[in-house]
Amino acid sequence: MPLSSPQSAYFGLGACGALSADVALLRALDVGLQVGYARFEKKAASPTAGAGTLLTVGVGTRFHRPLDNARLIPWGEAVVNWGFSGGSRLPLSLAAGLSYRLGDSSSWLVGLYSRLIYVLALGDNDPGFATYNATLLSFGLSLEYRYATSRG
């Protein structure tokens, strides 16, 4: 959902998704690549031609409880992206979540998360919304596959 004006006046709730590929640096620290997409439906009073969309590609870090044999794994994540939404953007995001391992020896985890995204306009020559920064908030479900080389 858009939190800042003018986006909050012209766009309602939407849907988003991201796909990440991470590599473990330490037991509790991963780095990775992320691609994402968000789409917000326009409100009736919106002067824009269509829905609001944001495409992103970025890099980030994830801090988490060491996986070992833990069933509940809290995590935090910071991602810096390049984005496109009618012009170039620099989306910066912070997320927090809680994942649950589906079985003692399972590599699959499901969870809940919340993500705050601050989208900086990069000053393209595109008029309109391309000149405004935006603040977005999302809540969702996560599905993770964690390949572990060893378990403690």
Side-chain angles (χ1 to χ4, degrees):
M1 72 181 83
L3 298 178
S4 59
S5 185
Q7 293 87 356
S8 60
Y10 298 129
F11 298 104
L13 294 178
C16 61
L19 181 63
S20 297
D22 296 341
V23 174
L25 286 183
L26 302 170
R27 283 177 15 114
L29 174 66
D30 303 341
V31 295
L33 300 174
Q34 186 179 90
V35 295
Y37 175 78
R39 177 184 170 96
F40 302 95
E41 295 304 317
K42 74 175 190 172
K43 295 180 178 177
S46 177
T48 64
T53 59
L54 176 64
L55 303 170
T56 62
V57 176
V59 295
T61 60
R62 178 181 280 205
F63 300 93
H64 55 80
R65 176 182 180 176
L67 300 176
D68 300 330
N69 287 324
R71 289 303 275 276
L72 284 175
I73 302 165
W75 56 267
E77 182 177 80
V79 180
V80 175
N81 291 287
W82 172 84
F84 182 81
S85 177
S88 294
R89 304 278 186 267
L90 182 65
L92 308 170
S93 72
L94 295 174
L98 182 64
S99 296
Y100 177 77
R101 184 186 307 276
L102 298 175
D104 290 334
S105 61
S106 177
S107 294
W108 290 97
L109 295 91
V110 296
L112 299 172
Y113 74 91
S114 177
R115 181 177 305 275
L116 182 66
I117 306 169
Y118 186 69
V119 184
L120 294 163
L122 294 180
D124 299 55
N125 292 326
D126 190 2
F129 288 106
T131 61
Y132 291 99
N133 296 337
T135 305
L136 310 171
L137 179 63
S138 67
F139 300 96
L141 300 173
S142 64
L143 176 64
E144 303 173 50
Y145 178 82
R146 297 246 175 204
Y147 176 77
T149 55
S150 64
R151 288 245 164 91

